[in-house]
Amino acid sequence: DGGITQSPKYLFRKEGQNVTLSCEQNLNHDAMYWYRQDPGQGLRLIYYSQIVNDFQKGDIAEGYSVSREKKESFPLTVTSAQKNPTAFYLCASSVPGGSGELFFGEGSRLTVL
Amino acid sequence: QKEVEQDPGPLSVPEGAIVSLNCTYSNSAFQYFMWYRQYSRKGPELLMYTYSSGNKEDGRFTAQVDKSSKYISLFIRDSQPSDSATYLCAMSEDSNYQLIWGAGTKLIIKP
């Protein structure tokens, strides 16, 4: 079955540690996205990538980093510079030029202690 | 003021009721309108997609867009407990533009 796989589903880390969230897709989509979701707020775009080896900052990129070395993979690193990293992180993909529909993974819940 | 406003709820209704969920927006250039459903601790999934104005129906779900009022709605008929979820509206100017999201409305259908 095609889809987006995010791991881990739950992650606990101490303050000051970097963490990397994995996102893999087998939908053959060119575009991939990382969103952050906090209670009572809409999805906020962290980074997106339209093509391999290229990515752009979204609205809240500070304290985060990404790479896009393969079409299938778009990992997100939450660095120690991110002031409030506890959140639900969602990875998505889409077909550029289509309806704009996003296909989401099941999310990763990061809690910083 | 946010570009897209959506009441976070929760909205609690009895099973079988008609549910109305709404979003208002400020950018008159928006043309693509979507409703996503998100179950607890899961990723959102596309429920309804509408281009420009008008209505779209899919089973028990109807999406309406009123561009003159900058207002979109999602109606759910014969609501079921399995419809309990958070409903997020999203919109964009162009299919290649980034989606702008509402905060999501938490819906609870009581058996």
Side-chain angles (χ1 to χ4, degrees), chain B:
Chain B
Q1 185 189 4
K2 292 181 182 178
E3 272 195 285
V4 178
E5 299 277 0
Q6 185 177 11
D7 186 336
L11 176 63
S12 182
V13 301
E15 183 176 354
I18 296 175
V19 175
S20 172
L21 303 167
N22 312 293
C23 289
T24 58
Y25 62 94
S26 55
N27 186 349
S28 58
F30 286 148
Q31 295 192 85
Y32 294 81
F33 303 93
M34 301 180 188
W35 286 95
Y36 283 78
R37 178 175 61 195
Q38 184 178 24
Y39 291 113
S40 183
R41 300 188 193 89
K42 301 288 186 184
E45 56 180 343
L46 182 67
L47 193 60
M48 297 287 282
Y49 161 80
T50 310
Y51 171 71
S52 194
S53 282
N55 293 0
K56 187 172 185 179
E57 190 172 319
D58 184 2
R60 296 184 295 111
F61 299 89
T62 300
Q64 283 187 355
V65 175
D66 182 347
K67 292 188 74 179
S68 60
S69 303
K70 299 193 186 72
Y71 189 87
I72 68 170
S73 301
L74 177 71
F75 297 96
I76 307 174
R77 291 184 299 281
D78 188 24
S79 56
Q80 305 293 313
S82 59
D83 294 326
S84 297
T86 295
Y87 291 80
L88 299 127
C89 63
M91 48 198 81
S92 69
E93 296 180 28
D94 183 275
S95 62
N96 291 318
Y97 281 48
Q98 299 307 321
L99 286 174
I100 307 299
W101 295 83
T105 299
K106 184 172 183 178
L107 175 65
I108 300 168
I109 308 297
K110 298 177 293 185

